[in-house]
Amino acid sequence: MKRQNCLCKSISVEEMEDIKTHIPEDETIQKMADFFKVFGDGTRLKILYYLSRHELCVADLALLVQMQQSAISHQLKLLRLDRLVKYRKEGTTTYYSLDDEHINSIFKVALEHLQER
Amino acid sequence: MKRQNCLCKSISVEEMEDIKTHIPEDETIQKMADFFKVFGDGTRLKILYYLSRHELCVADLALLVQMQQSAISHQLKLLRLDRLVKYRKEGTTTYYSLDDEHINSIFKVALEHLQER
DNA sequence: TCAATATATGAACATATATTCATAAAGGAG
DNA sequence: CTCCTTTATGAATATATGTTCATATATTGA
C-alpha cells in the first residue's frame, strides 16, 4: 500500500512549493545562524556590553568580566572576525571598541522579548 | 614591586566602577544568551521561517527542511520550551505555528547586518 | 641586551549541542 | 482489538564550543 509523505490538510502542495521556493539560500541561512551564535554566549554579551559603554583594553575587560585574559582574548578574536569589534594598538596595549551599530538594536529586541513574561 | 591590575589610560577607575555597576545581572545576561542561542542554528531558522509563512505539521516541516522527523521534533521541543512556537493537536497530527511577534524583527536586523558587506 | 608587561595563540580538556536510531505513546480505521 | 500512522522521546554518537594552561610575540624601559 503505497503512501505519499504526509501533506497535511492545512496546506496545499502548491502553497508548500511556493513557500519552499522563497526561503533564503542555505548559505544565507547559515550566515544568519552564525551571526546569532555570536550573541549566544554570556561572556561575549558582557564584553559587548562593556564595549558599548567605553573603549577598553584587554586587561580591563578581563577585570570587568572576571575571566582570564586568555579567555577574553579568544573571544575578542571571534568578535573581530565577525566584525563586531575593532581595535587600535598603542604600544603593547590593544584597545577594543564596537564596530557595528546594530548591536544596540539587537540588545533591545532581546530585552523586549525577555520582558514579556 | 607591587602592581595593580592594569587600569588603562583610556578610562578612570571611577568610570569603570560606574560601568560595572550598570551591567544587567548575570541571570539576565544568561537569559539573553539563551534567547540568541535558539537562533544560532540553521535547522531552527528554517523551521521558524516556514512557520512564519504557514502553520505546519511535523511531517511537512521535515519534508520542507529535508531532515528526519525526529530531528525536527527535537528542535520543535526546544522552540516550544522557549515559547517561540505553539501547537494544536488534531488526532495524531500536531500543527505548529509561531508564538512570538518579535521573530520577524529579529530576522530583519540579522539580514540588515548581513547585507552590509 | 635583558627584564617586565600586554596580548595572542596552540593544545588539551570538559561540556554542550545536533543528529540519528530505535522505540514508545496515542489516535483513527477497519 | 489490531494495524497503521504521526509524533515524541531516550540513548548513543559525533562534533562544536568555551575555558585553561603554557608559551610565543612584541613593545617598552633600564
Side-chain angles (χ1 to χ4, degrees):
Chain A
M1 197 99 301
K2 177 172 165 304
R3 224 191 63 75
Q4 239 191 327
N5 285 304
C6 161
L7 294 168
C8 291
K9 316 93 212 170
S10 83
I11 184 169
S12 69
V13 190
E14 292 76 25
E15 273 185 290
M16 269 187 66
E17 279 306 320
D18 180 60
I19 290 173
K20 187 165 188 171
T21 311
H22 287 82
I23 193 171
E25 294 182 9
D26 270 25
E27 199 195 315
T28 307
I29 300 252
Q30 194 49 53
K31 279 184 189 166
M32 282 180 68
D34 290 340
F35 174 70
F36 286 122
K37 222 174 280 183
V38 178
F39 295 94
D41 176 81
T43 302
R44 282 192 294 271
L45 285 184
K46 286 180 191 171
I47 292 176
L48 290 172
Y49 163 78
Y50 285 124
L51 293 182
S52 79
R53 303 294 311 278
H54 205 286
E55 177 192 65
L56 288 163
C57 71
V58 178
D60 281 352
L61 275 171
L63 194 69
L64 287 163
V65 178
Q66 301 260 53
M67 196 145 291
Q68 298 213 4
Q69 171 268 319
S70 174
I72 301 293
S73 244
H74 279 296
Q75 298 296 7
L76 284 170
K77 183 177 188 173
L78 234 163
L79 294 172
R80 245 188 296 137
L81 291 177
D82 281 286
R83 313 226 192 185
L84 295 174
V85 305
K86 57 179 188 280
Y87 64 94
R88 65 180 178 90
K89 295 230 169 205
E90 208 171 281
T92 63
T93 307
T94 313
Y95 292 100
Y96 281 87
S97 56
L98 288 195
D99 191 26
D100 193 305
E101 81 259 15
H102 292 126
I103 292 176
N104 284 320
S105 42
I106 288 275
F107 281 172
K108 216 165 116 185
V109 179
L111 285 171
E112 272 170 32
H113 175 86
L114 291 181
Q115 279 161 4
E116 256 181 21
R117 50 201 58 151
Chain B
M1 197 98 301
K2 175 170 166 307
R3 222 189 67 73
Q4 238 190 327
N5 287 306
C6 161
L7 294 168
C8 291
K9 314 93 211 171
S10 80
I11 184 170
S12 69
V13 190
E14 292 76 25
E15 274 184 288
M16 270 188 64
E17 279 306 320
D18 180 61
I19 290 174
K20 186 164 190 171
T21 310
H22 288 83
I23 194 170
E25 294 181 8
D26 268 25
E27 199 195 318
T28 307
I29 301 253
Q30 194 51 52
K31 278 184 188 166
M32 284 182 68
D34 290 339
F35 174 70
F36 286 121
K37 222 174 280 183
V38 179
F39 295 93
D41 177 80
T43 302
R44 282 193 292 271
L45 286 185
K46 286 180 191 173
I47 292 176
L48 291 172
Y49 163 78
Y50 286 123
L51 293 181
S52 79
R53 302 295 309 279
H54 204 286
E55 177 192 65
L56 288 163
C57 70
V58 179
D60 282 351
L61 275 172
L63 194 68
L64 287 164
V65 178
Q66 302 259 52
M67 200 146 286
Q68 298 214 1
Q69 171 269 319
S70 174
I72 301 293
S73 243
H74 279 296
Q75 297 296 6
L76 284 170
K77 182 176 189 174
L78 234 163
L79 294 171
R80 245 187 296 137
L81 292 176
D82 281 286
R83 312 228 193 185
L84 295 174
V85 304
K86 58 178 187 285
Y87 64 94
R88 67 183 176 89
K89 295 230 173 207
E90 209 171 281
T92 62
T93 307
T94 316
Y95 292 100
Y96 282 87
S97 55
L98 288 196
D99 191 26
D100 192 304
E101 80 261 11
H102 291 126
I103 291 177
N104 284 321
S105 42
I106 288 274
F107 281 174
K108 215 165 115 187
V109 180
L111 284 171
E112 273 170 30
H113 176 85
L114 291 181
Q115 280 161 3
E116 257 183 20
R117 49 200 60 146

